[in-house]
Amino acid sequence: MDWILKENIEELKKMVLKEGWLAETLFNQALNSLKERDEKSTKIVLGRKNEINIMDMKIKEKALVILSTMMPMSKDLRIVIGSFVISSYFQMISEKSLEIAKKTLELIKEPQLKPLVTIPEMAKYALIMLRESMRMFADQNMNGAENICERDQEIDDFLEEVRSELMVYMMENSKYVKRALILLEIAQNIEEIADQATRIAETTSYIITGKQYRCFNDKLYTIDSLENTKEENS
Ligand code: FE
């Protein structure tokens, strides 16, 4: 009976990683289409919406079958629950990537507002965070969790930078407003993708240790350390 459970958990992990790989691919492709202002590749990204939903549904179905028929315990149980949760994060990342593609289509109808500098830089960091969080889950190893958490703060700072850069354009000329707003929405999507990568790192840390973790400001906390911080501040 035990080997059946192990085999099913391995299968579930593979499914989650495959979903993660799809999310990463979509994010990467959406970013390239944005950089190159390429309508054709943007539409290819948008054509993959179904794939994302099917993968997420299959993972949830599989996790529920394992839970209801194989009674996993301790770490096995955490992997099953964690996979269920992480699947939603990957789905969200894919959907945000599709949002970026949709906005890119709108953006390329108009002349280029300015060469993109900060957004690709921000995206590079978000992509690194996503890859790191996937590696944590694949290897079931907590190394890298703190880096991901620190980067989350950097991404928030990048978003502020993008916001002020675009504000200058918007104030300069009202005909820039529409394009600046689209770019700002894209930057917000990238920030949200980085947030999901952080959630994946937190959930993976929970799977590994059995403890809840939260990234707060740029530090990773357990319940105890967060409570102590609260007392220090009060
Ligand atoms: Fe954030």
Side-chain angles (χ1 to χ4, degrees):
M1 183 61 192
D2 202 40
W3 67 269
I4 302 180
L5 173 64
K6 294 279 174 229
E7 215 172 73
N8 273 278
I9 285 181
E10 276 314 304
E11 241 175 86
L12 181 66
K13 259 179 79 184
K14 274 187 202 146
M15 288 164 80
V16 174
L17 283 170
K18 212 172 133 196
E19 190 193 20
W21 185 70
L22 173 66
E24 187 204 319
T25 308
L26 290 174
F27 183 36
N28 213 356
Q29 282 175 348
L31 292 170
N32 284 333
S33 314
L34 170 69
K35 263 186 267 175
E36 271 142 43
R37 300 174 61 86
D38 182 353
E39 187 180 334
K40 208 172 131 205
S41 64
T42 310
K43 285 186 172 156
I44 294 175
V45 175
L46 289 172
R48 300 185 73 177
K49 189 168 173 57
N50 253 351
E51 244 176 281
I52 308 165
N53 287 321
I54 292 169
M55 270 192 193
D56 181 51
M57 287 160 83
K58 281 188 179 167
I59 288 167
K60 286 179 172 151
E61 207 167 69
K62 176 101 185 161
L64 287 173
V65 168
I66 297 176
L67 282 177
S68 57
T69 62
M70 297 172 202
M71 288 183 288
M73 291 201 289
S74 56
K75 190 170 180 209
D76 290 336
L77 178 62
R78 297 200 299 273
I79 290 189
V80 179
I81 295 172
S83 297
F84 195 99
V85 174
I86 288 175
S87 179
S88 296
Y89 296 144
F90 281 137
Q91 194 206 15
M92 190 79 85
I93 291 172
S94 297
E95 280 180 1
K96 298 282 165 203
S97 304
L98 257 55
E99 283 294 310
I100 295 173
K102 253 188 242 165
K103 279 157 201 159
T104 301
L105 276 187
E106 271 180 69
L107 196 65
I108 57 185
K109 281 186 209 144
E110 319 239 351
Q112 186 160 27
L113 179 64
K114 70 186 203 75
L116 294 179
V117 181
T118 317
I119 289 182
E121 189 68 10
M122 176 183 182
K124 200 174 80 189
Y125 276 85
L127 201 55
I128 293 174
M129 287 170 71
L130 175 56
R131 286 186 180 141
E132 269 297 292
S133 70
M134 282 172 68
R135 194 204 42 72
M136 275 182 67
F137 180 80
D139 301 347
Q140 291 292 306
N141 186 324
M142 253 191 88
N143 288 343
E146 310 223 328
N147 275 342
I148 293 174
C149 185
E150 273 169 35
R151 287 220 153 104
D152 192 53
Q153 182 64 46
E154 286 172 46
I155 294 271
D156 291 347
D157 297 342
F158 266 122
L159 181 61
E160 282 318 303
E161 202 180 315
V162 172
R163 202 190 301 277
S164 20
E165 278 175 20
L166 292 170
M167 201 70 90
V168 174
Y169 280 92
M170 289 195 262
M171 288 188 312
E172 194 182 304
N173 192 325
S174 63
K175 73 173 188 220
Y176 295 152
V177 169
K178 185 179 170 199
R179 279 170 283 171
L181 282 178
I182 297 175
L183 283 172
L184 183 58
E185 283 170 352
I186 290 176
Q188 275 162 343
N189 285 140
I190 296 172
E191 193 268 331
E192 283 159 357
I193 288 176
D195 282 347
Q196 301 302 316
T198 309
R199 299 286 94 79
I200 294 168
E202 289 169 351
T203 307
T204 306
S205 303
Y206 162 72
I207 295 174
I208 297 165
T209 63
K211 282 186 191 156
Q212 291 290 332
Y213 285 85
R214 271 309 167 278
C215 176
F216 188 60
N217 292 329
D218 56 357
K219 280 198 182 59
L220 203 59
Y221 291 95
T222 56
I223 297 174
D224 290 345
S225 59
L226 200 56
E227 274 175 344
N228 289 338
T229 317
K230 204 176 68 189
E231 279 158 26
E232 268 168 37
N233 290 345
S234 60

